[in-house]
Amino acid sequence: KRTASPLGCLGALTAMLIFGSTTLLSKLSTYRTVNPVARGGLYATFNALGAAILNLSVCWVLRRSGVLHGALTATGLAYGVLGACIISIVLTCCFFGCERAGAACTIAVLASTGMCTSFLWGVLGFHEPLRSVPVAAFAIIVLVTGAFLCSVAKTDLPLRWSASGSEDGQASGGLLPTALVTGVCFAFVGGLVDGTLMVPFKLFCRSFAASRQGLTFQYMEAFGFGQLFCSAIMFLIQLAVWKKQHSSFRGFGTAVRVCAAPGIVTGLSWAIANVGSVHASEYLGVALGFPLTQTNIILHAFVGTLLFGEMPHPAQRRTAGLAVITILLGATLLARAGST
């Protein structure tokens, strides 16, 4: 892989910046008016729909202009559906994680887990070159440490570690242990699944002999149809669950109106970032490209801490900042270990 590829670096930067703002609309207070079980699924449903609209619209333009050509095969569509299923699970876990543990903690744990998982997929699954095994092992330990620090940042532990802890007694705004553990579990599962996001694309590339640019756009088209399929299936599931819980469809329309607009807008933004992530993984490799895109935790840390006030105590913010620096160090080491 060309580890200095400008297109790959641009893709990673685009993914980092846009992915870093995708949790903004998931924290809207209007979601609290929707059934707790339904809102995460509906958010993911319309997120998939928004991403599908953008992906398929771009591919339609590319086909009209002659840039994208060739029929979409059943095998290619299957890989697209698989990729869409993966991201739908990730977004659902992310939504519920942000509700329970906050955006800063959830994204840090999810990103750290995703980096480790994708790196192992790249090295073990696709036999991408590895510069140093000891550095890679140390990087994974650093990432785990960073995820742990961010997980406990909203508890009383930072105050106990801090000299000011004896004055304040406990963290204001701290979460109940059950909520924190549940949120971190959602983030961890989301990270494990998120780390496999580029696997369908790599398998797609192996299955078809075409130009590099052609493969990227062909997969984007298959992925778009996959997201459209997943959106329809998830909507039907939510409809059935709502009917079972409420014995009627009363209130479902209101829930849809609340979740539709923010979900679609987030999906449109996510689709742009995903194109950058695909290019980063294609030109830089899964072991290097994907971890670089996950450095969006910097923006999420600022969003969660400054905008949403998730960590009001200075000791909590210091712990969260240390966690972010630790994760970025781990990502840097992981990138160096995976580059040749």
Side-chain angles (χ1 to χ4, degrees), residues 38-297:
R39 58 194 178 207
L42 287 173
Y43 173 79
T45 296
F46 289 106
N47 199 307
L49 179 61
I53 291 172
L54 182 62
N55 282 334
L56 294 179
S57 297
V58 171
C59 290
W60 181 81
V61 172
L62 293 176
R63 282 196 176 276
R64 295 283 293 179
S65 61
V67 176
L68 178 61
H69 48 80
L72 181 63
T73 66
T75 302
L77 184 59
Y79 287 130
V81 171
L82 178 59
C85 290
I86 289 173
I87 194 58
S88 295
I89 295 172
V90 172
L91 291 173
T92 303
C93 290
C94 183
F95 183 90
F96 286 125
C98 287
E99 278 196 328
R100 289 158 176 78
C105 175
T106 297
I107 301 303
V109 174
L110 190 150
S112 301
T113 308
M115 284 186 227
C116 296
T117 305
S118 67
F119 183 84
L120 293 175
W121 265 109
V123 173
L124 302 178
F126 297 108
H127 307 291
E128 293 180 352
L130 181 63
R131 172 182 289 180
S132 173
V133 173
V135 173
F138 180 67
I140 291 175
I141 294 174
V142 171
L143 286 171
V144 171
T145 303
F148 169 77
L149 287 173
C150 207
S151 298
V152 302
K154 294 184 69 172
T155 67
D156 293 344
L157 284 177
L159 276 76
R160 296 174 183 176
W161 296 338
S162 171
S164 60
S166 58
E167 301 173 3
D168 294 81
Q170 62 179 6
S172 58
L175 291 178
L176 293 175
T178 302
L180 178 62
V181 171
T182 304
V184 170
C185 287
F186 272 116
F188 179 71
V189 172
L192 289 177
V193 180
D194 189 47
T196 67
L197 181 59
M198 289 296 104
V199 173
F201 174 67
K202 298 293 286 188
L203 296 174
F204 182 91
C205 292
R206 287 186 171 185
S207 301
F208 299 96
S211 65
R212 186 178 300 273
Q213 185 182 43
L215 278 176
T216 301
F217 293 132
Q218 285 172 25
Y219 179 75
M220 189 168 73
E221 184 179 43
F223 190 74
F225 280 114
Q227 288 180 306
L228 195 63
F229 172 79
C230 285
S231 177
I233 295 299
M234 288 190 294
F235 185 82
L236 293 176
I237 292 175
Q238 291 300 316
L239 199 63
V241 171
W242 188 280
K243 177 67 183 306
K244 183 177 181 180
Q245 288 184 334
H246 300 84
S247 301
S248 69
F249 296 117
R250 185 177 180 179
F252 187 73
T254 302
V256 167
R257 286 192 294 272
V258 170
C259 298
I264 290 175
V265 171
T266 303
L268 293 171
S269 301
W270 183 91
I272 298 173
N274 186 59
V275 173
S277 181
V278 168
H279 277 82
S281 294
E282 182 181 1
Y283 286 90
L284 302 178
V286 172
L288 173 60
F290 189 79
L292 290 178
T293 67
Q294 299 306 295
T295 53
N296 63 79
I297 59 170

